[in-house]
């Protein structure tokens, strides 16, 4: 148990498998959670998990009025807010062919919205004597990857937002951190790779634990950063990446296997 009993959490990107796992864990520890997502395709499925201990709100994380209403709903229904999680993201990326409009949309979703969510959450967190903010970043913010530019740039910015936010909000007893998942089983991954076996075989090339993460493993890291167990952690990143960022150019020895020495 991480001490989330009675805690109230608000999270964007609520339609993902990670958010669903987060809700299960928060509620399992006796907490409450309000999930927000602009896509209602998985709203009913998620509400079944939430029961009376949460809510699923449909709206856009780039809409300030929606963020205001989501925070107000959580505070009104459950008596306050102890933590916020920003997990909404867009993966649209055409490298240097990305238009200005698409760049601005991606930055609005991936970096500006987390900042505004935090800004709006601060008064609620202060009412509880402090709290925690978690931004879901990515290994992409640390390493260049083929066929990606916009997403990694925005996630790298998110890492710095947490560092500066941790410094700025420390006097208010509000901790700000990022969590960087490695490749994780998700609805998008299932659409791209089909079976979990095929997805794990793909991830095994660059995650030394030899598989993709389970959504629940990422959710556990988020819960930790939200909890009193992480009370002296702020302005930093927790990598839940199966060893991805520990690997150098030689990776798991694949070059030596493919090009053995004479």
């Amino acid at each position: 148990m991480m001490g989330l009993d009675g805690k109230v959490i608000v999270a964007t990107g609520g339609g993902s498998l990670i958010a669903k796992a987060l809700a299960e864990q928060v509620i399992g520890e006796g907490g409450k959670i309000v999930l927000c997502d602009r896509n209602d395709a998985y709203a009913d499925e998620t509400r079944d998990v939430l029961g009376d201990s949460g809510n699923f709100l449909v709206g856009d994380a780039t809409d300030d009025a929606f963020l205001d209403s989501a925070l107000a709903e959580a505070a009104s229904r459950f008596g306050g807010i102890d933590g916020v999680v920003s997990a909404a993201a867009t993966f649209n990326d055409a490298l240097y062919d990305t238009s200005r409009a698409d760049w601005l949309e991606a930055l609005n979703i991936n970096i500006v919205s987390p900042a505004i969510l935090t800004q709006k959450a601060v008064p609620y967190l202060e009412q509880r004597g402090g709290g925690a903010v978690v931004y879901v970043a990515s290994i992409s913010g640390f390493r260049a990857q083929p066929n990606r530019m916009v997403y990694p740039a925005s996630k790298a910015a998110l890492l710095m937002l947490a560092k500066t936010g941790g410094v700025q909000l420390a006097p208010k007893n509000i901790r700000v951190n990022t969590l960087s998942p490695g490749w994780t089983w998700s609805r998008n991954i299932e659409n791209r790779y089909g079976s979990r076996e095929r997805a794990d075989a793909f991830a095994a090339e660059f995650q030394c634990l030899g598989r993709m993460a389970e959504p629940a493993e990422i959710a556990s890291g988020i819960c930790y950063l939200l909890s009193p167990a992480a009370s002296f952690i702020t302005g930093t990143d927790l990598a839940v990446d199966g060893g991805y960022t520990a690997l150098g150019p030689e990776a798991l020895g694949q070059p030596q296997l493919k090009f053995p020495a004479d």
Side-chain angles (χ1 to χ4, degrees):
M1 299 293 287
M2 294 184 186
L4 292 177
D5 186 22
K7 301 295 185 183
V8 181
I9 309 301
V10 176
T12 62
S16 70
L17 294 181
I18 290 174
K20 182 179 177 182
L22 176 65
E24 291 172 341
Q25 292 182 24
V26 169
I27 293 170
E29 291 210 358
K32 311 293 185 183
I33 189 166
V34 173
L35 298 177
C36 311
D37 201 288
R38 65 181 180 182
N39 187 344
D40 65 356
Y42 304 102
D44 291 340
E45 171 188 331
T46 307
R47 287 191 182 105
D48 288 342
V49 171
L50 297 172
D52 294 331
S53 296
N55 199 1
F56 188 102
L57 304 178
V58 178
D60 195 331
T62 66
D63 181 347
D64 287 4
F66 172 70
L67 294 180
D68 284 331
S69 66
L71 292 166
E73 154 74 12
S76 174
R77 180 169 178 178
F78 298 119
I81 298 173
D82 300 282
V84 294
V85 178
S86 177
T90 179
F91 299 91
N92 293 339
D93 199 323
L95 304 172
Y96 275 123
D97 290 329
T98 304
S99 68
R100 181 180 294 274
D102 287 344
W103 265 105
L104 292 174
E105 180 185 25
L107 294 174
N108 194 19
I109 295 171
N110 293 356
I111 181 67
V112 178
S113 288
I116 298 300
L117 172 65
T118 306
Q119 174 196 96
K120 293 178 177 298
V122 164
Y124 293 98
L125 300 177
E126 284 188 289
Q127 289 174 8
R128 304 284 256 197
V133 177
V134 180
Y135 305 137
V136 178
S138 172
I139 51 174
S140 301
F142 292 92
R143 300 286 187 269
Q145 296 169 313
N147 304 317
R148 283 188 169 189
M149 176 181 287
V150 178
Y151 180 78
S154 66
K155 290 300 184 179
L158 197 57
L159 297 171
M160 184 52 69
L161 180 64
K163 291 179 185 296
T164 56
V167 172
Q168 294 299 317
L169 295 179
K172 300 178 184 293
N173 195 33
I174 297 172
R175 299 179 296 102
V176 185
N177 293 289
T178 53
L179 180 141
S180 291
W183 285 78
T184 303
W185 182 247
S186 66
R187 304 187 201 281
N188 287 335
I189 293 293
E190 184 174 17
N191 289 337
R192 290 175 64 185
Y193 294 97
S195 72
R196 179 60 189 269
E197 181 180 16
R198 185 165 181 259
D200 279 342
F202 170 74
E205 287 279 332
F206 40 78
Q207 296 191 158
C208 59
L209 290 183
R211 60 176 175 83
M212 290 197 171
E214 293 285 352
E217 292 174 310
I218 308 304
S220 292
I222 297 172
C223 284
Y224 169 67
L225 290 175
L226 289 169
S227 77
S231 58
F232 204 61
I233 300 176
T234 195
T236 193
D237 180 73
L238 175 62
V240 186
D241 66 359
Y244 183 102
T245 51
L247 297 173
E250 295 184 28
L252 296 172
Q254 293 97 322
Q256 285 84 356
L257 295 175
K258 295 171 183 176
F259 301 95
D262 293 335

